[in-house]
Amino acid sequence: MTDLTNLGVKAIRDGVAGGDFTAREVAESFNAAVASAAELNAFIVTTPDHALAAADAVDAKRAKGEDLGAMGGVPIGMKDLFASHGVQTTAASHILEGFKPEYESTVSQNLWNAGAGMLGKLNLDQFAMGSSNETSYFGNVASPWRKEGSNAAMSPGGSSGGSSSAVAARIAPAATGTDTGGSIRQPAAFTGICGIKPTYGRCSRWGVVAFASSLDQAGPMARSVEDCAIMLGAMAGFDPKDATSLKMDVPDWEAALNADLKGKKVGIPKEYRMDGTDEAILASWEQGKAWLKDAGAEIVDVSLPHTKYALPAYYIIAPAEASSNLARYDGVRYGLRDLPEGAGLQDMYAATRAEGFGDEVKRRILIGTYVLSAGFYDAYYNQAQKVRALVARDFEQAWGECDLILAPTTPTASFPLGSLNEDPLTMYLNDVFAVPASLAGLPAMSVPAGLNPDGLPLGLQLVGKPFDEQTVLDAGLAIQQRSGFEQAPEKWW
Amino acid sequence: MSVDKQTVAKIASLARIKMGDEELERMVPELNGILNWVEQLGEVDVEGVEPMSAVIPNTLRLRDDVVDADPKTGGGKRDEVLANAPAAEHGFFGVPKVIE
Amino acid sequence: MSDYRIQGATGEWEVVIGLEVHAQVTSNAKLFSGASTAFGAEPNSQVSLVDAAMPGMLPVPNRECIRQAVRTGMAIEAEINQWSRFDRKNYFYADLPQGYQISQLYHPLVGEGQLLIEADEKTGIPEDKIIGIERIHVEQDAGKLMHDQHPTMSYVDLNRSGVALMEIVSRPDMRSPAEAGAYVRKLRSILRYVGSCDGNMEEGSMRADVNVSVRKPGEELGTRTETKNVNSVRFVMQVIEYEANRQVDVLESGGTVDQETRLFDVATGTTRTMRSKEDAHDYRYFPDPDLLPLVLEDDFLDECRASLPELPDAKRTRYESELGLTPYNARELTAEVETFARFETLLTATAEATGKDEKTVATQVANWALSVAPGVIKSLGDDANVEHATAERQAAILAMQDKGEISGGQAKEIFEIVLKEGREPAEIAETEGLKQVSDTGAIEAAIDDILAKNEDKVEQYKGGKDKLFGFFVGQTMKAMKGKANPAVVNQILKDKLG
Ligand SMILES: [Mg+2]
Ligand SMILES: [Zn+2]
């Protein structure tokens, strides 16, 4: 039998349905792979029993001839930002260590309902704040990729770095991610996998630990565009418990996948040609244009004039929302409590939060608190929301000229862990290409484009109109077919 | 605009994060680096621009006034609500004594 | 203009008062969760995961809460903002699980409105006065802290956490405790008419934050203090009285008033600085990113407007102009929902029972409802079962009285028996002999007898001593054992005495 861990979502689902192997065999294979990959530190907790139980349920259904679901028999990794009923959910923070929710997030529940099982809770940057997976309380995640000729541990990207690392290392066929300012796309690009952030509101935020509510979106991370389409279909859907959830039918993206881009116009935003962008990245962008043209698309130049301001606007809005969203971690109802001798209530808050939050989280809470504080609201937060409106308007205007935008996902390939820790700003620049689509709530995907001269993966980003995930996926498929990217990292763990 | 140690201390207190001297001092240049950088937003002409209020054009959906319509957002969950509490006593959350 | 003044050592001081009234919106479920709002449940038994601010929980607003706030806004003739939104007010406290309260600062649901308080000599309000209302916004209530159950801990109960409140913010237009008292009473009355709040101040359904400052008449506004969560009209007035005098003392002894949050101590009738709110001035309000803008459609507003009842001011005016009631009666009858509701039911029943129109019997019914009936009920004390006093029975009594079948005294006696025993008025009148004699023959016979026995007095009367008429009436009534119809007695006496 082939090694089941080399299979993706579609292959597993179809194989289980067709009786090529059982769901239990799949779960056992991945459980073993997970257990043998501790060096990646991709998981905070593993839940082999959950994966087996879900697999057995699918096998039982098959025996009875029942429908197995869109993800029937597929074990996945769950980013530890999604609440899992009865399973420790931490957002990779100390303050939530030991927290076992009495509820299941809507997105994860949707996946279980579709027949998926859970391999474990995936590591991430603490509270999803970070782009390298170095801010987790539970230690850094390593990318399975290494630079040619080097043993240095590389960043899997962040914040969904546990997800990207696990999927790239083939210890999970797919994983959930969340994207606030690039947290699905950037790690996908760094590890040579696909990841799509859908239109804001497609996936319910209910039960997902909040970072920045107006930006947070869940999405799938997998090794192929088809797998992303399948999994996104299972994750998405209207949820009355989330007031920002889109009340729209979920299209059958998988069924409608079509790599023929005839009649589609692809916009190339000139402002994304920034100083400091890696040569290899620019070359892959050119290659991407050629592939899409080959798929029948027309390439047009477009302008997104406020691109430069997207990142600073993001670094006001996201911390502002986070400073408020994270106020609930106070040691009263759940999670860590640090009660120094003789401390009053407010001292308890301050001690608990000092102990429970990592440096980057503290930094963003302080920034967020500052920009919202008396006298600064207009200059910072309100100004940023106006700039955000302009960034969104840029896209709306671009849609007059194109159906889709192609850009690099990141300005560089992955970097060694620990190499960008000096200055938070350098780290923030990782998301310079990803953030504009986040601010505008648009569907955006990263697909692998190839390897750079160091043998590290590069990603291409596709940004679509609101609700038009289909065109994004179609273009992704067109690139995938042409790049033929199938490289896997060499196993060292 | 740049912040000094005293301002950082004030913000940290407002955010209820206890910080020692050393940590405050470390934060000052880091925060100033970020603040100076985001201040480039001041260059943008936002004349007549409304701050974004909904990412995707959409307005607020309202729910019906029905108790416990969805068990996930309904009440009557004392045990679940208290299950993770560091100090749950007699059906309450316990906190250090507060003087109002 | 109110002439309420504090007499200080340096002269007279004027008091400036603004009130922020928090009124619990009448709804089954909380503002952003499906947990019940019922009062008095076991601690933390009406708490959802949302109310406890579990990670990843999200608010979804309750339509009924929005609707009631809009109707309230319409009742105070306010602008309704068809575009509003919720903001977060950030601060840390044990009764606030999210670490922020979802409220409305920048774009409240209801804008500028007003409320009329009526002249009342008794309490020192010389003339009608309009009090401006700046806004009404909708927000979450906080939980409750219990301090006396453990030596070193406070206990948190989140049952109230997330219950919908309307915060009704007045302009600083009030100038005396009496005006503030009248404002709260009037506001309470309107809320109860509209049905948007039960107005139950003991259960905390209505609480006022009392903003007080003092100044020398004609000068600029002074620094104000805000005394939180005052839960009765009497306490509101006490707070103002105490705070105004305290501030005058502070200012006259060379000090300055701190802008601060204070707490009212019911036991001593004094206020003091609220320690827990000392540094909570920077609330970092910003739009709640979990909630989109609230846009109200025209038909939603139309339904809100169409469902509004006749309101106290309109009703009072109508009672005077259409029913011919005195201003006093009109005001008393319209002050409370229960009072006017009982009155209107009784009025309809009485009109039907007498076959007359409402206007004709309105004054009789008003007097009965405001003084006669309450007097009887009060005199019976615990013996009265008011449930026996149905509108039909009371109307039957009033109709008998209207027809002259019973006297006013008999009406009260019959009502007493109704209250005690729940029997029907007609049967009581019959069985207990509580009926007036209108039979002219019997009355005439009695009068003839009296006139014959008092010839001297008849002479005196005819000689001009008109006052003796009452004597003859009295004697006749006595002879008739009080059961003669006074109108018939009067008429026959007049005829006979010429
Ligand atoms: Mg107030
Ligand atoms: Zn309030």
Side-chain angles (χ1 to χ4, degrees):
Chain A
M1 197 164 62
T2 53
D3 184 354
L4 295 174
T5 59
N6 278 325
L7 303 180
V9 172
K10 186 176 169 14
I12 293 171
R13 179 195 66 186
D14 294 346
V16 168
D20 301 342
F21 38 79
T22 64
R24 189 173 181 92
E25 285 166 341
V26 176
E28 280 170 346
S29 305
F30 279 102
N31 280 341
V34 167
S36 72
E39 273 176 282
L40 296 173
N41 199 28
F43 285 88
I44 295 174
V45 278
T46 57
T47 54
D49 293 342
H50 188 292
L52 291 178
D56 288 347
V58 166
D59 287 336
K61 275 187 170 184
R62 187 174 180 277
K64 285 189 263 172
E66 291 170 14
D67 178 41
L68 306 187
M71 297 280 293
V74 183
I76 58 166
M78 185 61 59
K79 186 177 184 181
D80 198 25
L81 205 60
F82 295 84
S84 302
H85 196 155
V87 178
Q88 175 184 268
T89 298
T90 64
S93 71
H94 183 32
I95 209 160
L96 277 177
E97 195 173 8
F99 171 63
K100 290 186 175 169
E102 293 287 334
Y103 50 97
E104 184 76 31
S105 82
T106 298
V107 161
S108 53
Q109 188 62 54
N110 287 347
L111 286 164
W112 312 150
N113 293 347
M118 181 165 75
L119 296 166
K121 302 298 295 285
L122 290 159
N123 207 344
L124 63 147
D125 276 301
Q126 192 169 141
F127 283 104
M129 297 176 188
S131 306
S132 63
N133 239 291
E134 293 167 292
T135 72
S136 168
Y137 176 73
F138 300 95
N140 300 344
V141 178
S143 171
W145 293 88
R146 285 176 167 178
K147 262 188 199 173
E148 248 162 52
S150 163
N151 283 332
M154 304 296 288
S155 169
S159 65
S160 310
S163 308
S164 65
S165 176
V167 174
R170 283 146 175 83
I171 61 174
T176 54
T178 62
D179 191 315
T180 302
S183 279
I184 286 176
R185 292 160 284 159
Q186 183 257 17
F190 274 17
T191 55
I193 65 169
C194 301
I196 179 166
K197 172 196 97 71
T199 310
Y200 181 82
R202 273 282 189 209
C203 287
S204 169
R205 293 184 296 114
W206 195 87
V208 186
V209 174
F211 164 15
S213 311
S214 74
L215 295 150
D216 296 345
Q217 257 306 287
M221 298 171 76
R223 289 192 303 275
S224 76
V225 173
E226 295 91 330
D227 286 2
C228 283
I230 293 168
M231 186 158 157
L232 181 60
M235 293 167 73
F238 172 65
D239 182 2
K241 299 189 295 304
D242 174 356
T244 59
S245 174
L246 288 171
K247 197 167 189 176
M248 293 178 99
D249 288 338
V250 177
D252 189 343
W253 289 304
E254 180 194 6
L257 272 178
N258 176 7
D260 180 359
L261 301 183
K262 229 171 272 132
K264 296 280 183 200
K265 287 183 183 173
V266 175
I268 306 298
K270 65 170 192 269
E271 292 79 5
Y272 278 58
R273 196 168 286 279
M274 286 178 182
D275 290 346
T277 306
D278 194 282
E279 276 308 314
I281 297 274
L282 293 174
S284 81
W285 194 6
E286 288 305 316
Q287 179 65 69
K289 279 191 234 177
W291 285 331
L292 292 180
K293 207 169 173 178
D294 181 60
E298 181 188 340
I299 307 294
V300 297
D301 285 330
V302 295
S303 173
L304 301 170
H306 295 90
T307 298
K308 171 183 169 199
Y309 299 105
L311 199 60
Y314 173 85
Y315 274 96
I316 288 173
I317 294 162
E321 293 183 11
S323 71
S324 177
N325 281 336
L326 271 60
R328 65 187 56 200
Y329 306 104
D330 59 8
V332 174
R333 295 163 317 286
Y334 44 77
L336 184 74
R337 165 178 292 193
D338 188 3
L339 182 57
E341 188 68 30
L345 176 72
Q346 301 293 344
D347 304 324
M348 179 186 89
Y349 290 155
T352 299
R353 292 161 61 79
E355 175 72 15
F357 291 140
D359 275 353
E360 181 61 21
V361 174
K362 288 180 188 174
R363 198 151 37 224
R364 295 204 198 186
I365 290 177
L366 292 193
I367 290 283
T369 303
Y370 182 71
V371 299
L372 290 175
S373 66
F376 297 108
Y377 176 80
D378 281 325
Y380 289 109
Y381 186 80
N382 229 17
Q383 179 76 7
Q385 286 288 29
K386 288 176 182 173
V387 171
R388 183 179 187 179
L390 291 172
V391 169
R393 190 195 288 175
D394 285 353
F395 280 108
E396 273 161 43
Q397 283 167 355
W399 302 139
E401 294 156 50
C402 64
D403 304 292
L404 185 75
I405 283 166
L406 174 73
T409 309
T410 57
T412 66
S414 172
F415 45 84
L417 288 169
S419 66
L420 290 186
N421 291 350
E422 282 301 299
D423 174 12
L425 276 183
T426 343
M427 187 68 80
Y428 296 174
L429 288 171
N430 260 288
D431 292 317
V432 66
F433 296 143
V435 154
S438 295
L439 289 179
L442 301 171
M445 183 171 202
S446 181
V447 290
L451 299 179
N452 76 357
D454 289 330
L456 294 174
L458 298 177
L460 280 170
Q461 181 179 212
L462 298 155
V463 180
K465 297 176 184 174
F467 323 120
D468 192 14
E469 287 82 2
Q470 190 69 60
T471 301
V472 171
L473 290 162
D474 287 349
L477 185 62
I479 290 175
Q480 178 179 294
Q481 288 172 354
R482 285 160 184 81
S483 74
F485 184 86
E486 273 177 2
Q487 289 93 321
E490 216 164 292
K491 189 169 185 303
W492 53 263
W493 54 90
Chain B
M1 224 92 59
S2 65
V3 294
D4 55 15
K5 190 173 143 194
Q6 209 190 333
T7 309
V8 178
K10 207 187 107 205
I11 304 164
S13 150
L14 204 50
R16 296 296 185 277
I17 299 175
K18 192 175 160 194
M19 280 193 178
D21 252 16
E22 208 181 298
E23 196 174 7
L24 288 173
E25 264 156 30
R26 184 157 50 81
M27 282 286 172
V28 172
E30 287 179 1
L31 296 191
N32 278 328
I34 299 167
L35 288 170
N36 292 336
W37 171 67
V38 298
E39 268 158 26
Q40 61 178 295
L41 291 184
E43 300 163 10
V44 184
D45 179 6
V46 293
E47 186 72 30
V49 178
E50 285 297 317
M52 180 176 270
S53 60
V55 189
I56 291 298
N58 201 354
T59 54
L60 193 52
R61 203 163 13 81
L62 304 173
R63 54 168 238 282
D64 293 337
D65 183 28
V66 180
V67 173
D68 299 346
D70 181 338
K72 289 184 170 180
T73 54
K77 293 182 165 292
R78 177 156 80 176
D79 294 347
E80 286 99 317
V81 159
L82 289 168
N84 283 285
E89 303 215 2
H90 313 296
F92 293 97
F93 298 97
V95 294
K97 194 145 203 126
V98 178
I99 300 146
E100 281 185 308
Chain C
M1 286 290 277
S2 170
D3 50 8
Y4 181 85
R5 293 287 184 273
I6 305 285
Q7 293 300 331
T10 62
E12 291 194 331
W13 295 80
E14 186 184 34
V15 189
V16 176
I17 305 148
L19 295 175
E20 295 160 25
V21 173
H22 285 95
Q24 180 181 333
V25 179
T26 303
S27 66
N28 301 315
K30 293 184 180 179
L31 179 55
F32 295 116
S33 86
S36 167
T37 61
F39 181 78
E42 288 291 299
N44 289 310
S45 64
Q46 293 178 171
V47 182
S48 71
L49 299 165
V50 179
D51 309 317
M54 289 290 162
M57 292 300 98
L58 298 171
V60 180
N62 181 337
R63 182 183 299 102
E64 180 63 10
C65 300
I66 305 299
R67 179 176 169 271
Q68 291 295 16
V70 167
R71 293 174 74 245
T72 304
M74 289 171 167
I76 57 155
E77 295 158 52
E79 251 170 76
I80 308 298
N81 295 321
Q82 284 187 260
W83 195 99
S84 68
R85 65 172 311 176
F86 288 99
D87 300 305
R88 292 184 182 178
K89 176 181 182 179
N90 296 282
Y91 64 96
F92 287 89
Y93 202 54
D95 63 8
L96 191 72
Q98 294 164 140
Y100 54 85
Q101 178 196 33
I102 306 180
S103 180
Q104 298 187 297
L105 176 72
Y106 299 108
H107 300 280
L109 185 57
V110 178
E112 205 75 40
Q114 60 179 46
L115 179 148
L116 175 81
I117 55 174
E118 288 125 47
D120 188 349
E121 292 298 342
K122 271 191 300 192
T123 59
I125 303 174
E127 59 207 18
D128 286 3
K129 183 170 177 180
I130 302 271
I131 307 297
I133 291 180
E134 189 188 307
R135 57 193 284 151
I136 301 179
H137 62 255
V138 178
E139 64 186 20
Q140 297 175 297
D141 203 353
K144 226 174 130 168
L145 285 181
M146 247 73 62
H147 304 300
D148 351 297
Q149 317 215 342
H150 189 281
T152 61
M153 282 209 272
S154 293
Y155 284 160
V156 187
D157 173 11
L158 297 179
N159 279 351
R160 287 196 70 88
S161 166
V163 165
L165 301 177
M166 293 179 276
E167 181 171 331
I168 303 153
V169 182
S170 85
R171 295 272 174 208
D173 287 352
M174 288 156 278
R175 293 290 177 273
S176 69
E179 288 184 1
Y183 171 85
V184 175
R185 272 191 299 266
K186 183 63 175 286
L187 182 58
R188 181 173 178 274
S189 164
I190 291 175
L191 296 176
R192 299 181 77 240
Y193 264 66
V194 169
S196 59
C197 170
D198 67 18
N200 191 332
M201 297 188 85
E202 297 81 67
E203 291 182 1
S205 301
M206 239 182 116
R207 289 110 69 183
D209 296 346
V210 185
N211 290 281
V212 178
S213 64
V214 296
R215 64 175 172 192
K216 288 282 174 69
E219 287 186 358
E220 301 245 301
L221 284 177
T223 304
R224 67 185 165 85
T225 61
E226 178 179 3
T227 305
K228 287 262 181 208
N229 286 335
V230 185
N231 69 346
S232 86
V233 173
R234 193 163 56 91
F235 294 158
V236 167
M237 294 168 66
Q238 273 183 32
V239 163
I240 296 165
E241 190 102 41
Y242 178 84
E243 260 308 287
N245 280 289
R246 186 189 68 85
Q247 292 180 15
V248 167
D249 287 349
V250 168
L251 293 170
E252 290 195 335
S253 57
T256 51
V257 174
D258 292 328
Q259 179 164 350
E260 61 178 359
T261 304
R262 297 178 72 85
L263 209 59
F264 179 60
D265 184 337
V266 179
T268 59
T270 60
T271 68
R272 63 176 163 84
T273 301
M274 197 170 175
R275 289 183 42 182
S276 56
K277 292 280 166 76
E278 263 171 302
D279 67 343
H281 294 305
D282 196 341
Y283 291 123
R284 291 159 285 135
Y285 278 99
F286 77 109
D288 191 328
D290 285 329
L291 294 162
L292 296 156
L294 175 58
V295 178
L296 300 178
E297 306 292 338
D298 289 341
D299 43 357
F300 181 85
L301 297 186
D302 292 345
E303 186 282 325
C304 288
R305 203 176 298 281
S307 68
L308 278 185
E310 183 181 37
L311 294 162
D313 291 340
K315 198 178 275 296
R316 187 167 53 97
T317 310
R318 183 171 64 82
Y319 280 10
E320 288 180 39
S321 63
E322 285 183 20
L323 298 180
L325 299 185
T326 61
Y328 174 82
N329 278 355
R331 193 174 72 197
E332 291 298 308
L333 286 171
T334 55
E336 288 294 338
V337 174
E338 290 83 0
T339 324
F340 92 70
R342 273 199 302 271
F343 169 71
E344 292 188 357
T345 313
L346 185 55
L347 183 61
T348 308
T350 306
E352 199 167 299
T354 56
K356 296 181 177 174
D357 66 17
E358 292 191 350
K359 186 178 174 167
T360 313
V361 295
T363 297
Q364 187 198 2
V365 174
N367 289 334
W368 172 268
L370 284 175
S371 75
V372 182
V376 174
I377 292 167
K378 203 176 163 200
S379 71
L380 285 183
D382 287 346
D383 293 338
N385 180 349
V386 290
E387 293 194 357
H388 291 151
T390 61
E392 288 69 28
R393 285 175 179 153
Q394 296 186 70
I397 296 172
L398 288 168
M400 286 192 286
Q401 195 185 345
D402 181 68
K403 288 181 190 133
E405 291 168 16
I406 58 171
S407 66
Q410 287 169 330
K412 287 189 194 175
E413 283 182 60
I414 293 170
F415 190 49
E416 274 187 23
I417 297 170
V418 167
L419 285 165
K420 284 196 275 195
E421 302 173 16
R423 290 157 55 193
E424 295 308 319
E427 177 269 322
I428 297 170
E430 203 63 52
T431 322
E432 309 295 333
L434 289 167
K435 273 191 139 174
Q436 295 197 122
V437 179
S438 299
D439 168 4
T440 40
I443 296 172
E444 213 174 331
I447 286 176
D448 285 345
D449 188 40
I450 284 157
L451 295 184
K453 282 182 188 155
N454 293 285
E455 278 178 9
D456 52 335
K457 292 210 169 60
V458 174
E459 281 312 309
Q460 287 172 22
Y461 177 81
K462 288 186 171 164
K465 210 168 172 190
D466 291 351
K467 277 186 189 162
L468 279 168
F469 191 79
F471 166 79
F472 296 118
V473 173
Q475 289 297 305
T476 309
M477 292 304 277
K478 200 173 158 193
M480 297 296 297
K481 296 197 173 79
K483 291 177 184 171
N485 182 333
V488 179
V489 171
N490 281 347
Q491 193 53 51
I492 296 174
L493 271 173
K494 262 184 198 154
D495 292 347
K496 301 233 172 210
L497 291 167

